[in-house]
Amino acid sequence: MARSFVRNHRSYETTYFESPANPILAYHHQPLKVRSLCEDTVTSYQNFFRKLLSLKMGDQLECALDLMRRLPPQNTEENLSQLISLVPSLHEDLVNAVDQPLKVATCPITNKEYLQSTFNRDGDSFRSPWSNEYDPPINDGIVPSSKTRKLEIAANDAFNTYREMYYEGGNSAAYFWDDQGQDGFSGAVLFKKVGDSVRKMKGAWDSIHVFKANERGRNAHYKLTSTVMLYTITSKSELGNLNLSGSMTRQFDADYPFEEPNAHIANIGRMVEDIELKMRNLLQEVYFGKTKDIVNDLRSINSLSESQKQANMHGELNSSEMNKILLEILVLENYQRTRQFWCNIINT
């Protein structure tokens, strides 16, 4: 396994994949149906793993990534470990291609919380964006150059303000590293917000934005790959158990001018803000909206007697309205016939 993201030169251009949200609904008040569903799922996965072991290396990686996209993101670390134990030859490729939920840690030097991810890891140590030191300490840990480190500090301050405005809590971190032999740098902007579990409901939002900035004179070309991992779990006696989870990945690139190095921060922030807004709207309108429609069709808040009473009332209203319309039609027809009768008499 490579020591870190930087030393392994992970490329989002080759590992990009579309990852639609995968709603998982399970209601425990129907044990027979849930048991049947679980048995079918186990059989399906057994057949999948048999097929996985019989494929070539490239096909195995594609199938493994396809499987990880369909599993709940809150169990990514466990599922990834089991998949690697099943096919050890895919260890390095899977670790570099699968985004895992972010973890929160505390910097021992500044006593401030930061996010642990692949992008600030070197071996078993993680670099704090506040102190630029690894925890646990190591002697030869990879750190950005002084120029890139200044941009990293400014980015952490800027995105910390962005987090307070948009998320009203949670954690954020920005990690930059130098691109060897190229005019520019790369980095990752991370956000994590965890639910408070006050209303018997827990969930988390992980937002990972990986970018690459190439300087071209007075302009810079930015390529951004954003991944959102979301899960929400509800357990209430009146509603049952609900587990809604999934992930989404989008790519976006643009060219912006920059007069000074700090202009990179504003350009990257603009891209992150735009793509997060689009992904939030897409999640709310498409995924959650569709799930809400399905749940409303499956579950009714009102009792059967109330629903039947409302249906009878609608039927009575419809019948009375129909009778009224028919009466108006008959009156109109009689009026027209009478008018035509008198017209004929007058003409004769």
Side-chain angles (χ1 to χ4, degrees):
M1 176 179 177
R3 292 188 57 190
S4 68
F5 167 84
V6 182
R7 295 191 178 184
N8 197 43
H9 300 289
R10 175 178 177 181
S11 173
Y12 267 74
E13 299 180 4
T14 57
T15 62
Y16 167 73
F17 54 84
E18 186 70 357
S19 181
N22 178 25
I24 301 175
L25 299 176
Y27 296 99
H28 295 286
H29 64 282
Q30 297 178 345
L32 294 179
K33 293 185 178 180
V34 172
R35 190 180 299 116
S36 176
L37 177 62
C38 293
E39 290 174 357
D40 294 340
T41 304
V42 170
T43 303
S44 177
Y45 281 132
Q46 286 177 348
N47 295 332
F48 176 86
F49 286 127
R50 292 192 187 100
K51 180 180 178 182
L52 178 64
L53 294 174
S54 63
L55 295 175
K56 297 180 181 179
M57 175 69 73
D59 297 332
Q60 285 182 341
L61 179 60
E62 183 178 353
C63 290
L65 293 177
D66 188 62
L67 175 63
M68 291 300 301
R69 290 197 295 269
R70 284 161 172 77
L71 294 175
Q74 68 269 23
N75 301 330
T76 298
E77 187 174 3
E78 179 183 357
N79 294 330
L80 183 62
S81 177
Q82 294 178 357
L83 194 57
I84 291 175
S85 63
L86 181 66
V87 190
S89 59
L90 298 179
H91 181 280
E92 185 174 342
D93 293 327
L94 286 176
V95 169
N96 293 318
V98 176
D99 289 309
Q100 302 185 43
L102 306 171
K103 295 182 179 180
V104 181
T106 302
C107 176
I109 298 177
T110 61
N111 202 28
K112 297 175 63 176
E113 292 185 341
Y114 69 99
L115 296 176
Q116 295 180 346
S117 68
T118 312
F119 312 103
N120 64 323
R121 179 178 181 177
D122 195 340
D124 295 328
S125 299
F126 294 89
R127 182 172 65 90
S128 168
W130 313 115
S131 63
N132 201 29
E133 298 292 337
Y134 280 90
D135 182 33
I138 54 177
N139 296 326
D140 57 344
I142 299 176
V143 295
S145 62
S146 58
K147 177 182 176 181
T148 306
R149 173 58 183 165
K150 291 180 181 179
L151 291 177
E152 186 181 70
I153 295 174
N156 276 285
D157 293 337
F159 286 110
N160 189 45
T161 304
Y162 170 90
R163 175 192 56 79
E164 287 291 343
M165 295 175 60
Y166 280 86
Y167 290 90
E168 298 181 354
N171 301 91
S172 66
Y175 300 104
F176 291 177
W177 57 88
D178 300 283
D179 290 336
Q180 300 296 331
Q182 298 183 10
D183 294 331
F185 62 98
S186 299
V189 180
L190 314 174
F191 300 99
K192 186 178 184 67
K193 179 69 179 291
V194 180
D196 51 9
S197 304
V198 174
R199 297 172 294 180
K200 294 183 179 180
M201 178 177 180
K202 64 179 181 179
W205 168 288
D206 291 80
S207 184
I208 302 173
H209 305 276
V210 184
F211 69 88
K212 184 178 181 63
N214 290 327
E215 299 178 357
R216 302 172 180 176
R218 293 187 177 182
N219 293 327
H221 178 76
Y222 303 91
K223 186 170 184 178
L224 179 68
T225 301
S226 298
T227 300
V228 169
M229 292 180 287
L230 174 67
Y231 78 88
T232 174
I233 301 175
T234 305
S235 179
K236 293 185 178 181
S237 57
E238 63 273 16
L239 297 178
N241 297 331
L242 171 66
N243 182 351
L244 177 62
S245 59
S247 61
M248 177 191 299
T249 301
R250 291 292 184 270
Q251 275 190 330
F252 178 65
D253 59 339
D255 294 305
Y256 292 112
F258 76 100
E259 298 295 336
E260 57 179 0
N262 285 336
H264 286 299
I265 308 301
N267 295 337
I268 296 169
R270 184 190 311 173
M271 295 178 65
V272 169
E273 183 178 8
D274 291 343
I275 201 168
E276 277 208 338
L277 179 61
K278 293 178 181 178
M279 296 178 77
R280 276 197 298 265
N281 292 337
L282 188 60
L283 284 169
Q284 180 178 358
E285 296 175 4
V286 178
Y287 296 103
F288 285 101
K290 186 63 176 178
T291 303
K292 183 179 179 181
D293 293 339
I294 294 174
V295 173
N296 289 338
D297 291 338
L298 294 174
R299 303 288 295 270
S300 176
I301 299 177
N302 299 327
S303 62
L304 292 177
S305 59
E306 292 179 356
S307 300
Q308 186 64 36
K309 184 178 179 180
Q310 291 181 357
N312 295 336
M313 187 181 299
H314 285 303
E316 293 176 0
L317 290 175
N318 291 335
S319 60
S320 60
E321 289 292 333
M322 184 61 67
N323 292 334
K324 183 178 179 181
I325 293 173
L326 291 175
L327 181 61
E328 291 178 353
I329 292 175
L330 291 175
V331 172
L332 180 60
E333 289 181 351
N334 291 333
Y335 169 76
Q336 290 177 346
R337 290 175 182 175
T338 305
R339 186 172 180 274
Q340 186 65 34
F341 173 78
W342 289 109
C343 289
N344 293 337
I345 292 178
I346 294 173
N347 292 333
T348 54

